[in-house]
């Protein structure tokens, strides 16, 4: 390995021998590079690759890390354990399913399955009227699990709380947990919680892994939650070779239970920790770093860091105000087309936004312009109805107790098993303390079922039994193909699609699912092992950041800022920088929430290598309502006044929806008038242009910032 590719501090971290190591450093300073080089180095020194565990935050990051290690230590990297926390835990639970008290082929429930089960639990507890709060309870329960509170512990905690919703949550939690366990499922929080208990309650298993992993490395450590922290700490307890890298300024998952204290207190928890700080940024130009630095400087509680770059020059960060989201999208697409003409491949562009809903206008504009794009996250492929149906069949095959999946597909395609029959089935099950899937087998003992319903149930049972018996000899793809065929799901969709366009697109998606199974299988075969249906299901249940389309073609990337963590692109558009959208919230957010938004902004900006554009609109439609906006405080904090550019790139046609009226100052605003802006403060009108709908004024504010404002949308007040 060529150490000259590292600076001296990086080399120090890579060559650090034994004992805990903390690398705390700002964006783009090579933290991930240190992890990959360190792993390659360990392998070079004779550490068996299979005894190294590296944990990253997203599947995309894990895949990238695997490739980087592979290229540094060719042919020797495949045995390294590179996982996300959830992936690693799923693997451990499969291995030790008995000790962990989970069913052998447990199903991993995603958020929507979880919500469904929580709604059921709420009904059972008599909280139907709270139905709208299912998401809230789902997140309370997930938070509790991240903090390692199982249903019992949470009930104790809730009993001492003065907040009545805690007591309700405790009841729901307990019923929900019974349900998910009886269905042989686990949710994301369970993966972590159950591994923690596994390691805690089984000294032999704990000691085995403590012995086994000679080195544990964690990237993006700032985003670990309590459960993840305990797992890491436990695994590294014996050899103490724990290397964590992170940046407290990039902690953006506190809503998912991430605990910034883990990084701030690492040195206290691990005695004699080697600490390395990296200060040179290799990613971005100076103007980008400076703008990002000015923003993050507004945060209170942070470890101070120096960050510099050797790079000279670099284009100024550009702020662009647009009229609405449609114009924002066309402006961005136009910039991309210009960039492409001057020689940048499409893969060098990325568009980031705060919320998934913002992707729509960009997608439309990109499609119109014929620019290929990859959308990461968002309306996930695996969330689609037809894909969930197909996967539900597969889940039942592996886990016959999976009630949610069974009820999902029992009558899809239609088999004459109606609501009433299902109610009877459930009542039968309840009376015997079984779950619906278990009673499914005894359908002939249930009263009042129609003969045709009985026949259908028997056929369905037969279908599952037969496939289940054949399963050990089938690859994932073969199994999936037979499921879709023999359940008649595919032929049903085919029939439907003759008359129904929606069904046609569902059919196409199911076919895409089949090709993607094939693709997984081939990728796995390249690594030398076959892929079973169970393994396939596990892989995709953990794919929370999968791309909607896996196009090899040159394309731009769209994603939320959360998913952009750790990645880099030459040209970045950070969009929707408006108060209320980014920072998100109604204006009464707490200081902590605001600081997290600011860190998110910092993460987004520091992804850019060459060029960074910040855009904001004066009006934006949100759920069909149009709101007038003021620019995000982050734009102001970036202090880009000297470089502000607000030129229009095309004529604007008025939005069709009514605009929540801002102060209509229009023509009676004079040059030289003093005005007040709710965010920018007091300023003076320097110029006026346009008229009517498009009247604008150039205002210089007392903080030095000058900006052109579209009066129709700007809440200016004359003073
Ligand atoms: P983030 O905080 O965003 O996760 P990071 O600290 O993990 O960033 P890396 O992604 O490892 O940073 O590195 C940023 C970029 O700088 C990468 O393109 C990497 O290849 C490059 N880089 C890092 N160190 C060096 C070096 N010593 N010489 C040349 N390039 C480097
Ligand atoms: Mg990184």
């Amino acid at each position: 390995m060529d150490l000259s590719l590292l600076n001296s501090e990086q080399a120090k971290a890579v060559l650090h021998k034994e004992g805990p190591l903390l690398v705390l450093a700002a964006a783009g300073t090579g933290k991930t590079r240190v992890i990959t080089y360190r792993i390659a180095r360990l392998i070079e020194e004779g550490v068996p690759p299979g005894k190294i565990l590296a944990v990253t935050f997203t599947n995309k990051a894990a895949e990238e890390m695997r490739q980087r290690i592979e290229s540094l230590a060719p042919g020797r990297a495949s045995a390294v354990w590179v996982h996300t926390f959830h992936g690693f835990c799923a693997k451990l639970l499969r291995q030790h399913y008995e000790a962990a008290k989970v069913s052998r082929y447990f199903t991993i429930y995603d958020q929507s399955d979880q919500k469904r089960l929580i709604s059921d639990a709420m009904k059972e507890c008599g909280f139907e009227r709270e139905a709208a709060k299912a998401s809230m309870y789902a997140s309370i329960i997930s938070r509790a699990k991240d903090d390692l509170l199982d249903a019992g512990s949470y009930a104790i905690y809730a009993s001492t709380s003065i907040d009545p919703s805690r007591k309700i949550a405790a009841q729901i939690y307990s019923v929900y947990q019974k349900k998910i366990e009886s269905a042989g499922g686990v949710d994301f929080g369970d993966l972590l919680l159950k591994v923690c208990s596994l390691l805690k309650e089984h000294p032999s298993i704990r000691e085995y892994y403590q012995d086994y992993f000679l080195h544990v490395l964690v990237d993006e450590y700032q985003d670990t939650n309590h459960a993840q922290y305990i797992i890491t700490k436990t695994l590294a307890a014996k050899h103490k070779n724990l290397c964590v890298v992170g940046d407290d300024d990039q902690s953006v998952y506190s809503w998912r239970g991430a605990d910034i204290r883990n990084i701030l207190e690492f040195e206290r928890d691990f005695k004699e920790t080697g600490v390395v700080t990296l200060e040179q940024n290799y990613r971005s130009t100076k103007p980008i770093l400076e703008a990002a630095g000015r923003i993050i400087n507004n945060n209170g509680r942070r470890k101070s860091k120096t960050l510099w770059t050797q790079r000279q020059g670099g284009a100024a960060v550009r702020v662009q105000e647009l009229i609405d989201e449609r114009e924002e999208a066309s402006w961005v697409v136009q910039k991309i087309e210009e960039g492409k003409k001057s020689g940048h491949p499409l893969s060098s562009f990325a568009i980031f936004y705060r919320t998934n809903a913002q992707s729509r206008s960009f997608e439309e504009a990109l499609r119109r312009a014929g620019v290929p794009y990859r959308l990461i996250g968002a309306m996930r492929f695996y969330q689609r109805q037809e894909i969930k149906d197909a996967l539900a069949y597969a889940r039942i095959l592996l886990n016959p107790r999976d009630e949610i999946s069974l009820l999902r597909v029992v009558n899809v395609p239609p088999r004459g098993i109606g609501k009433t029959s299902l109610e009877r089935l459930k009542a039968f099950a309840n009376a015997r303390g079984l779950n619906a899937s278990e009673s499914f087998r005894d359908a002939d003992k249930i009263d009042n079922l129609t003969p045709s319903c009985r026949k259908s149930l028997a056929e369905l049972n037969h279908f599952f039994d037969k496939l289940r018996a054949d399963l050990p000899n089938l690859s994932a793809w073969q199994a999936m193909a037979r499921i879709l065929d023999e359940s008649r799901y595919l032929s049903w969709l085919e029939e439907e699609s003759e008359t129904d366009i929606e069904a046609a697109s569902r059919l196409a998606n199911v076919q895409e699912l089949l090709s993607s199974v094939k693709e997984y299988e081939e990728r796995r075969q390249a690594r030398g092992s076959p892929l079973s249906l169970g393994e396939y299901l596990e892989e995709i249940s953990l794919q929370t950041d999968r791309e909607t389309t896996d196009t090899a073609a040159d394309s731009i990337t769209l994603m939320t800022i959360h998913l952009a963590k750790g990645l880099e692109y030459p040209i970045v558009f950070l969009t929707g920088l408006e108060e209320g959208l980014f920072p998100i919230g109604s204006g009464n957010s707490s200081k902590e929430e605001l600081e997290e938004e600011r860190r998110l902004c910092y993460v987004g900006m520091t992804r850019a290598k060459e060029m960074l554009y910040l855009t904001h609109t004066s009006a934006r439609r949100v759920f069909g309502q149009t709101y007038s906006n003021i620019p995000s405080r982050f734009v102001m904090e970036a202090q880009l006044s000297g470089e502000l550019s607000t030129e229009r790139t095309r004529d604007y046609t008025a939005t069709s929806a009514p605009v929540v009226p801002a102060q209509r100052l229009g023509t009676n605003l004079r040059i030289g008038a003093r005005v007040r802006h709710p965010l920018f403060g007091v300023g003076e009108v320097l110029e006026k242009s346009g008229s009517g709908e498009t009247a604008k004024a150039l205002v210089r504010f007392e903080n030095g910032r000058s900006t052109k404002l579209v009066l129709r949308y700007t809440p200016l007040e004359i003073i």
Side-chain angles (χ1 to χ4, degrees), residues 388-522:
K388 292 205 89 167
D389 289 348
L391 295 176
Y393 276 109
R395 286 165 151 202
I396 305 163
L397 268 190
L398 288 163
N399 172 15
R401 287 194 295 155
D402 188 342
E403 183 178 303
I404 287 243
S405 299
L406 184 73
L407 296 178
R408 174 173 191 103
V409 294
V410 71
N411 205 29
V412 188
R415 299 187 171 93
I417 307 171
K419 257 208 168 115
T420 338
S421 313
L422 282 181
E423 288 306 322
R424 287 189 182 132
L425 196 108
K426 275 195 195 166
F428 176 86
N430 273 343
R432 283 163 186 72
L434 302 170
N435 81 21
S437 323
E438 287 162 324
S439 66
F440 194 69
R441 314 222 127 253
D442 298 325
D444 49 334
K445 300 197 192 104
I446 307 173
D447 297 330
N448 298 329
L449 291 183
T450 61
S452 74
C453 174
R454 254 182 238 288
K455 186 164 160 265
S456 293
L457 286 171
E459 276 173 11
L460 205 53
N461 266 327
H462 178 67
F463 154 78
F464 282 127
D465 287 345
K466 190 157 122 276
L467 256 181
R468 215 169 269 141
D470 292 347
L471 202 58
N473 304 316
L474 300 177
S475 75
W477 181 80
Q478 288 167 328
M480 210 61 216
R482 277 190 55 187
I483 289 172
L484 291 169
D485 177 35
E486 292 169 27
S487 66
R488 291 185 289 108
Y489 191 81
L490 214 50
S491 54
W492 169 66
L493 270 188
E494 271 160 9
E495 276 163 37
E496 292 283 295
S497 58
E498 279 167 24
T499 50
D500 178 354
I501 295 194
E502 284 239 337
S505 95
R506 291 212 296 271
L507 182 64
N509 285 334
V510 173
Q511 276 152 351
E512 189 182 329
L513 175 73
L514 274 174
S515 358
S516 96
V517 180
K518 191 89 198 156
E519 203 184 294
Y520 268 98
E521 207 168 280
E522 282 166 1

Side-chain angles (χ1 to χ4, degrees), residues 230-251:
I230 294 295
I231 294 169
T232 317
K233 195 167 145 173
T234 308
L235 289 175
K238 173 148 189 242
H239 301 298
K240 306 221 162 37
N241 294 326
L242 174 61
C243 165
V244 304
V245 312
D247 175 4
D248 54 317
D249 285 335
Q250 294 185 66
S251 157

Side-chain angles (χ1 to χ4, degrees), residues 49-50 52-54 66 79-83 88 91-92 209 212-213:
I52 301 172
L53 169 65
R66 183 175 284 292
V80 179
W81 293 51
V82 186
H83 289 286
F88 172 73
K91 188 164 168 169
L92 239 55
Y209 285 105
Y212 185 84
F213 289 118

Side-chain angles (χ1 to χ4, degrees), residues 4-7 10 25-36 68 219-220 222 245-247 250 278 280-284 564-568 603 606-607 609:
S4 71
L5 295 169
L6 301 168
N7 66 33
Q10 291 174 332
T29 51
K31 296 183 294 298
T32 305
R33 190 179 179 100
V34 160
I35 291 210
T36 48
R68 287 213 220 171
D219 199 358
E220 307 277 359
Q222 74 278 359
V245 312
D247 175 4
Q250 294 185 66
L278 308 174
Q280 181 173 1
N281 177 296
Y282 290 90
R283 180 182 292 144
S284 316
K565 218 157 52 93
L567 307 178
E568 57 187 24
V603 168
T606 52
R607 302 307 95 202
K609 294 162 94 166

Side-chain angles (χ1 to χ4, degrees), residues 53-112:
L53 169 65
V55 190
T56 67
F57 218 74
T58 61
N59 297 292
K60 201 175 161 70
E63 195 48 46
E64 253 179 54
M65 180 169 294
R66 183 175 284 292
Q67 282 165 9
R68 287 213 220 171
I69 303 170
E70 182 64 44
S71 65
L72 291 170
R76 286 185 291 173
S78 60
V80 179
W81 293 51
V82 186
H83 289 286
T84 62
F85 268 111
H86 291 108
F88 172 73
C89 290
K91 188 164 168 169
L92 239 55
L93 291 182
R94 295 260 181 241
Q95 194 78 40
H96 303 283
Y97 64 94
E98 270 168 317
K101 298 194 272 299
V102 291
S103 87
R104 175 162 195 181
Y105 296 105
F106 61 81
T107 312
I108 300 172
Y109 281 0
D110 68 12
Q111 263 179 1
S112 65

